[in-house]
Amino acid sequence: MNRLKALKIIVFIFTFLLIFGTISLVGILFNRAQNSDKAISSANLGLSAEVKIKQITADNGLLYLLVSAPDKADEIIVFNPAKAKIVSNITLN
């Protein structure tokens, strides 16, 4: 009789651990899915006030900004919104 009681206790413990682990895993995956959809709300490009953005184009997850300043040649700024960083500056002659 003692063996049967011990076996029932072991089965109960393993069942509890299995259910608790499954619920925890689903909760962790749900939280990661919620946090991965965050978008950048603002980014500072470090441009002066007289710089004008003429055109914005998106391609392969990057933003291409055509900017012009009164005293400089036009530039294309390649911006990665996922990392909130400028990838490169291209000066147009």
Side-chain angles (χ1 to χ4, degrees):
M1 191 70 172
N2 288 336
R3 288 184 181 175
L4 184 59
K5 189 173 184 179
L7 184 62
K8 286 181 181 182
I9 292 172
I10 291 171
V11 168
F12 176 77
I13 291 172
F14 282 142
T15 302
F16 173 77
L17 290 174
L18 181 66
I19 292 171
F20 180 75
T22 303
I23 291 172
S24 297
L25 181 64
V26 169
I28 290 169
L29 292 176
F30 181 75
N31 283 338
R32 286 189 182 173
Q34 291 281 2
N35 293 337
S36 67
D37 293 338
K38 290 183 179 177
I40 297 172
S41 60
S42 67
N44 185 3
L45 297 176
L47 302 174
S48 61
E50 63 266 358
V51 173
K52 304 278 189 234
I53 297 176
K54 289 184 173 181
Q55 184 178 357
I56 300 175
T57 306
D59 187 36
N60 293 331
L62 298 174
L63 292 176
Y64 297 90
L65 300 118
L66 176 61
V67 297
S68 67
D71 56 343
K72 291 184 180 178
D74 289 352
E75 274 188 304
I76 297 176
I77 298 174
V78 182
F79 181 73
N80 186 347
K83 295 181 181 177
K85 290 194 169 203
I86 293 176
V87 176
S88 67
N89 288 350
I90 303 167
T91 304
L92 303 174
N93 290 328

